[in-house]
């Protein structure tokens, strides 16, 4: 796999920083989309999370319509739509509408998890049984809806996803364990491995996906990427503070304490038990930080390990300016084609 020309993309979760509102968090996502479009990033994905005060991104299908209108070249997509929360027909209609608005620029990234706790998932979709077979059937149905077909005598033969458009979004499955990679290979879809969720087993999962890939009518060749928490800065103290915040967030989440917006001053004196320190060292494998030159070396190494030529950067920072600057420094290091820029920081 040639990784000489590594493409960079974005996964943004609309993080609610300490001291800002959810409305501002969503506006920052829009500003980041415009900025990374100008910086030459390949795609901008947004996530689906529920019942958390620290992430405002709950409806990618809604926000994508706005992001598409605010950008010109960057692909826009979900990273992802959590399929257990939705019917396949409604997902097909949402993304056909996006294709009608922005043909050839839309990615439909899909996940098997609900993106929330079990109680909230049950409220989002009371009929959800959390069965693997349900997810597989949804993928079959979704492909049929996108191609206006259904087996004779079945409901799908009588139903069409509206609007009926000529293009189909690029379909990706998101995986943090590898199993969805097998589904992506079977259905001929792309695979994005969530290293930022699980830093173990990703390269093997991608290799298995490539080995078992079956070309589909929508995708002739395998396509794979890796998503990773990143932070790039020329300020070593800023990097240290960022890592301390990430350590704290991971620890809180794993202990079921939720994710509330915090700043470095809130957590700088926190001490951890031996077990917590072990978990911190494990979770640091989910994050890559450093100065620009270090980041290029580390991310290039990651791309080689995964045998992919696209890295999806997930960046959550204490200040919005640091978030923008991290993406800018990465773009410069990887030689992205940067268009005419203007400041998007108000």
């Amino acid at each position: 796999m040639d990784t000489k020309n590594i493409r960079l993309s974005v996964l943004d979760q609309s993080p609610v920083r300490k001291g800002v509102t959810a409305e501002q968090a969503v506006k920052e996502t829009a500003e980041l989309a415009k900025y990374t479009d100008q910086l030459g990033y390949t795609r901008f994905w947004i996530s689906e999370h529920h019942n958390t005060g620290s992430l405002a991104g709950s409806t990618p299908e809604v926000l994508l319509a706005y992001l598409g209108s605010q950008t010109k070249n960057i692909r826009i997509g979900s990273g992802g739509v959590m399929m257990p929360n939705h019917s396949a027909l409604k997902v097909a209609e949402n993304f056909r509408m996006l294709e009608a608005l922005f043909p050839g620029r839309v990615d439909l990234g899909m996940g098997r998890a609900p993106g929330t706790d079990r109680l909230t998932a049950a409220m989002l979709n009371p009929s959800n049984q959390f069965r693997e077979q349900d997810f597989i059937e949804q993928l079959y149905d979704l492909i049929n809806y996108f191609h206006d077909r259904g087996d004779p005598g079945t409901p799908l033969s009588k139903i069409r996803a509206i609007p009926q458009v000529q293009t189909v979004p690029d379909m990706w499955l998101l995986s943090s364990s590898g199993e969805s990679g097998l589904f992506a290979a079977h259905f001929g879809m792309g695979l994005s491995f969530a290293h930022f969720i699980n830093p173990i087993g990703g390269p093997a999962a991608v290799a298995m996906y490539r080995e078992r890939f079956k070309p589909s009518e929508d995708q002739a060749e395998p396509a794979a990427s890796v998503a990773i928490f990143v932070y790039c800065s020329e300020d070593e103290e800023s990097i240290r503070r960022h890592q301390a915040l990430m350590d704290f967030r991971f620890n809180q989440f794993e202990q079921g304490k939720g994710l509330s917006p915090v700043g470095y001053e809130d957590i700088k004196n926190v001490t951890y038990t031996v077990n917590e320190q072990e978990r911190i060292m494990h979770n640091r494998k989910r994050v890559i930080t450093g100065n620009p030159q270090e980041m290029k070396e580390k991310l290039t190494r990651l791309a080689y390990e995964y045998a992919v030529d696209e890295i999806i950067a997930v960046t959550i920072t204490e200040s919005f300016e640091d978030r923008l600057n991290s993406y800018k420094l990465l773009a410069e290091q990887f030689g992205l084609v940067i268009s005419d820029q203007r400041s998007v920081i108000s």
Side-chain angles (χ1 to χ4, degrees):
M1 177 63 62
D2 182 10
T3 56
K4 291 181 179 179
N5 297 308
I6 296 174
R7 294 174 295 157
L8 297 181
S9 294
V10 181
L11 169 59
D12 195 68
Q13 301 169 318
S14 299
V16 181
R17 299 180 294 109
K18 183 181 180 181
V20 306
T21 62
E23 292 91 340
Q24 181 62 29
V26 174
K27 290 178 181 177
E28 288 176 356
T29 290
E31 290 298 300
L32 181 62
K34 289 188 286 186
Y35 192 54
T36 50
D37 186 20
Q38 295 164 6
L39 290 175
Y41 279 72
T42 297
R43 66 188 88 244
F44 192 95
W45 283 2
I46 53 177
S47 63
E48 178 185 336
H49 290 93
H50 304 279
N51 198 31
T52 173
S54 63
L55 302 174
S58 61
T59 56
E61 65 277 10
V62 176
L63 184 53
L64 286 173
Y66 180 70
L67 298 183
S69 72
Q70 298 296 301
T71 55
K72 296 179 179 179
N73 300 309
I74 199 167
R75 296 188 66 86
I76 55 168
S78 57
V81 166
M82 301 294 101
M83 293 299 288
N85 304 332
H86 310 275
S87 72
L89 175 58
K90 191 56 184 170
V91 172
E93 291 194 329
N94 286 338
F95 278 78
R96 274 195 150 183
M97 181 62 75
L98 290 169
E99 276 290 331
L101 294 169
F102 315 108
R105 283 182 59 201
V106 179
D107 295 332
L108 170 54
M110 295 168 281
R112 292 171 55 195
T116 187
D117 56 88
R118 281 294 182 104
L119 177 60
T120 306
M123 297 301 289
L124 284 164
N125 179 6
S127 64
N128 184 11
Q129 300 297 312
F130 300 96
R131 293 181 305 198
E132 179 181 285
Q133 186 60 33
D134 291 340
F135 179 67
I136 295 171
E137 291 175 3
Q138 281 185 305
L139 296 179
Y140 274 113
D141 290 348
L142 190 67
I143 293 169
N144 284 332
Y145 284 132
F146 280 139
H147 291 280
D148 293 314
R149 64 182 179 225
D151 294 333
T154 67
L156 264 70
S157 67
K158 303 177 181 179
I159 299 172
R160 294 294 176 262
I162 303 301
Q164 290 180 273
V165 296
Q166 300 304 308
T167 56
V168 175
D170 284 1
M171 287 178 275
W172 295 74
L173 292 189
L174 316 181
S175 180
S176 61
S177 66
E179 189 170 11
S180 287
L182 299 178
F183 299 151
H186 174 79
F187 285 101
M189 298 177 177
L191 172 67
S192 185
F193 193 88
H195 189 103
F196 72 103
I197 295 176
N198 176 21
I200 306 299
V206 172
M208 181 67 72
Y209 158 76
R210 292 188 183 281
E211 178 184 323
R212 300 194 180 188
F213 182 84
K214 298 179 181 179
S216 66
E217 58 195 302
D218 299 308
Q219 186 171 319
E221 301 289 338
S225 64
V226 55
I228 177 81
F229 280 121
V230 304
Y231 180 56
C232 184
S233 175
E234 295 171 320
D235 183 348
E236 292 300 321
E237 177 61 16
S238 178
I239 294 170
R240 186 190 68 79
R241 290 163 64 107
H242 176 81
Q243 186 63 70
L245 272 168
M246 295 299 288
D247 291 343
F248 179 82
R249 292 187 181 112
F250 290 144
N251 186 61
Q252 291 291 101
F253 182 77
E254 290 191 344
Q255 294 183 15
K257 297 178 180 179
L259 292 172
S260 57
V262 295
Y264 176 74
E265 292 300 318
D266 300 316
I267 60 94
K268 65 180 182 180
N269 296 321
V270 172
T271 59
Y272 299 101
T273 67
V274 172
N275 287 339
E276 288 173 337
Q277 290 173 4
E278 290 178 355
R279 290 304 304 167
I280 284 173
M281 296 311 297
H282 170 77
N283 284 322
R284 283 189 178 184
K285 299 174 184 177
R286 300 160 59 183
V287 186
I288 292 180
T289 64
N291 63 43
Q293 183 59 42
E294 290 171 338
M295 291 300 292
K296 184 174 184 180
E297 294 173 358
K298 291 177 181 179
L299 291 176
T300 299
R301 189 181 310 123
L302 183 74
Y304 272 104
E305 290 172 357
Y306 272 83
V308 299
D309 61 3
E310 181 175 356
I311 293 172
I312 300 180
V314 192
T315 302
I316 298 177
T317 55
E318 192 170 1
S319 79
F320 184 49
E321 289 78 8
D322 284 345
R323 191 149 129 237
L324 293 174
N325 189 54
S326 179
Y327 283 110
K328 177 177 180 292
L329 293 173
L330 289 179
E332 292 172 347
Q333 280 297 308
F334 283 89
L336 302 192
V337 179
I338 300 175
S339 64
D340 293 339
Q341 292 184 46
R342 61 183 185 277
S343 174
V344 296
I345 307 174
S346 57

